[in-house]
Amino acid sequence: MSEWNRQIVEEFRANDGRVGGPFEGRPLLLLHHRGARTGTLRVTPLMYQAVGAGYAIFASKGGADTNPDWYHNLLAHPETEVEVGSETVSVTARLAAGSEYDTIWTRQKSDYPFFAEYEQQTRRDHIPVLVLEPR
């Protein structure tokens, strides 16, 4: 884990899911994911959008032309856990598609315009949205 992510994870856990800096006041969760090839367990802080009883996360990677590693890891190992606030929730990840994708992605770009900037920066066809459903 990068030093930056490690500090966010520590702050998140010490403050029941609240952090300062660039994530202050934004919905943040800690995604647990297992390496697609290595099986190594990792934890990544991500912004989310509440979707029903679950959470939508965004494979934006800051507008990079490739998907983040956690995206590939979730496709290989969709059953995982997230930390939201002081709670740990078992979830199953799935890709959003069609009108569900459009609704979630449009709202995210409206609520956080920098996601629209990521969409403009990337050469990818679209930025994947994954829905994490409690199990």
Side-chain angles (χ1 to χ4, degrees), residues 2 5 8 11 14 20 27 34 44 53 56 60-61 65 72 74 76 85 103 106-107 131 133-134:
S2 74
N5 276 355
I8 293 171
E11 185 178 0
R34 192 164 298 282
T44 301
S60 61
K61 198 177 178 184
D65 291 334
H72 302 289
L74 284 182
T103 299
T106 299
R107 178 176 166 204
V131 177
E133 298 176 322

Side-chain angles (χ1 to χ4, degrees), residues 44-132:
T44 301
L46 296 171
M47 285 183 63
Y48 73 89
Q49 181 186 126
V51 176
Y55 315 92
I57 55 175
F58 309 90
S60 61
K61 198 177 178 184
D65 291 334
T66 59
N67 292 317
D69 292 342
W70 62 257
Y71 169 83
H72 302 289
N73 294 344
L74 284 182
L75 293 181
H77 305 286
E79 292 190 357
T80 191
E81 295 181 334
V82 293
E83 295 174 54
V84 182
S86 58
E87 195 176 347
T88 300
V89 181
S90 294
V91 295
T92 301
R94 65 172 176 78
L95 284 169
S99 64
E100 179 188 43
Y101 174 91
D102 293 340
T103 299
I104 294 168
W105 183 237
T106 299
R107 178 176 166 204
Q108 190 68 7
K109 292 187 298 182
S110 175
D111 290 351
Y112 302 98
F114 54 88
F115 279 91
E117 293 173 17
Y118 297 158
E119 183 178 54
Q120 295 301 313
Q121 291 171 341
T122 188
R123 292 185 194 149
R124 291 179 280 167
D125 291 336
H126 69 283
I127 291 177
V129 173
L130 287 92
V131 177
L132 308 174

